Amino acid sequence: MEMHQIRYFLAVARTLNFTRAAEQCNVAQPSLTRAVQKLEEELGGLLLHRERQHTHLTELGRLMLPHLERTFAAAQAAKSLARGVSKGEMAPLRIGLSETISTTALIGLLEGLKSCVNGFELTLAQLPYKDLVARALDGAFDLVFVSDAHELPDRMRSWILFRETYRLILPAGHRLAALPALSLAELAGSEMIDQIDCPDIERFKAFCASADINLRYRHRVHGAEQLQRLVEAGFGFGFLPANMPLIGGLVARDLVEAENARNVAVAVVAGRPFTSATEACLRLARTREWAINDARQAGPATAAA
């Protein structure tokens, strides 16, 4: 099936006249007719009833029409995108975020890209870590932002960008909310809400265990929004990155211990050619102010982000 065959068929379906369709397509009528016939052969049935004064769609033609219209429209859109990219008029960038990375932390970077990259077109998605990496390896993302608690595949290369603390999330009316900061000892015996497939939380649990601090985890969630709703409802305390926006009625308190922090990194698939937007994003991300304090750490990390 070739695109010109679809275009000719759509012209006939629109005009219900082979002569007018050929004129619209700027092609000789016999050539248009042969192309439509070949399309019918490939689809296994007649698409048009040909009569002297009246041409109309067959049942197969009516069924196929919307599908062929979508196919043709998609092909035209793809051509337009390719022309725009090749001429430098469009610079698409597909960014994936691990679900524990808040978009809030990246807004400054994205604003910078918007102002300095001509034709910047952003696609932003937030996914669980495993899905994020799998889709990045399959080519769905140009680059991804992840926590250093994750172990990236060997095929990916990463650079640490900034350090981000984790904070305890609790209801504003809770007695501990009156304190400016909390120690682990003040949390001993508390109910905490677990987060499924979150290595940052697993690292926090390990640190608490090493400090002989017993916390109870009876409830589990997948994502920051669910966690906050359960904290609001009194199911227990939560643990979230400092840049994660909070819903009303909750407060965030720092933990005194310094180990409640993680590094955030940007990662790409090694060996994959960079688009202009990808290169600009990496360059801007690695030279932003957030990287200054971690300049000694910022560099290639082939396995961990």
Side-chain angles (χ1 to χ4, degrees):
M1 183 184 302
E2 297 182 12
M3 203 54 57
H4 76 278
Q5 296 170 348
I6 297 176
R7 181 165 70 93
Y8 294 170
F9 165 72
L10 294 178
V12 178
R14 185 169 57 249
T15 63
L16 295 179
N17 185 289
F18 277 78
T19 301
R20 288 201 299 272
E23 292 172 352
Q24 289 184 4
C25 295
N26 195 28
V27 65
Q29 183 176 331
S31 297
L32 180 140
T33 300
R34 284 195 299 271
V36 172
Q37 289 173 340
K38 188 173 180 181
L39 179 63
E40 290 175 323
E41 291 173 4
E42 294 183 16
L43 294 177
L46 292 178
L47 299 174
L48 297 151
H49 281 306
R50 300 166 180 80
E51 300 176 0
R52 288 186 178 180
Q53 301 299 325
H54 180 61
T55 297
H56 59 275
L57 293 170
T58 64
E59 181 62 23
L60 178 61
R62 285 192 292 271
L63 291 173
M64 292 304 301
L65 180 60
H67 297 284
L68 295 176
E69 286 176 332
R70 286 194 294 269
T71 299
F72 185 73
Q76 293 302 103
K79 285 183 179 179
S80 177
L81 176 61
R83 284 194 296 269
V85 172
S86 64
K87 293 179 180 179
E89 298 170 352
M90 302 170 65
L93 180 65
R94 302 163 302 167
I95 293 178
L97 303 180
S98 176
E99 61 186 354
T100 64
I101 308 294
S102 172
T103 307
T104 302
L106 304 181
I107 286 298
L109 170 65
L110 299 178
E111 289 176 337
L113 289 170
K114 181 174 177 291
S115 64
C116 72
V117 177
N118 293 330
F120 181 56
E121 293 190 1
L122 175 67
T123 299
L124 188 64
Q126 194 162 32
L127 295 170
Y129 170 75
K130 292 181 181 178
D131 296 336
L132 183 74
V133 170
R135 292 192 60 188
L137 292 174
D138 287 341
F141 299 114
D142 300 306
L143 45 79
V144 296
F145 290 83
V146 294
S147 163
D148 70 334
H150 293 295
E151 184 174 351
L152 288 169
D154 292 339
R155 288 179 58 195
M156 299 192 75
R157 184 186 185 197
S158 64
W159 296 265
I160 291 173
L161 299 177
F162 61 89
R163 192 162 179 81
E164 181 179 34
T165 60
Y166 261 79
R167 293 177 177 173
L168 189 76
I169 308 302
L170 64 163
H174 194 279
R175 61 179 180 80
L176 292 180
L179 300 176
L182 300 169
S183 68
L184 287 179
E186 289 169 311
L187 299 182
S190 297
E191 290 279 357
M192 294 287 295
I193 299 172
D194 203 354
Q195 297 183 56
I196 301 168
D197 294 331
C198 180
D200 294 304
I201 300 304
E202 296 305 316
R203 189 160 58 181
F204 174 68
K205 290 180 185 178
F207 176 72
C208 290
S210 67
D212 201 25
I213 301 297
N214 180 40
L215 300 174
R216 294 179 291 173
Y217 293 87
R218 291 196 297 172
H219 310 292
R220 290 161 295 280
V221 298
H222 207 157
E225 199 276 337
Q226 293 179 358
L227 181 140
Q228 293 190 58
R229 292 301 177 186
L230 290 190
V231 172
E232 181 187 32
F235 280 74
F237 298 152
F239 197 55
L240 287 176
N243 285 301
M244 192 68 68
L246 299 183
I247 63 176
L250 300 182
V251 296
R253 293 292 178 262
D254 288 327
L255 294 175
V256 175
E257 290 75 9
E259 285 77 3
N260 64 322
R262 55 106 181 259
N263 292 317
V264 173
V266 60
V268 298
V269 177
R272 186 168 291 168
F274 289 167
T275 65
S276 59
T278 302
E279 185 174 359
C281 184
L282 281 175
R283 183 171 61 250
L284 187 59
R286 297 181 65 194
T287 56
R288 281 179 58 80
E289 184 178 353
W290 66 31
I292 292 176
N293 293 333
D294 297 310
R296 294 182 301 276
Q297 306 175 52
T302 57

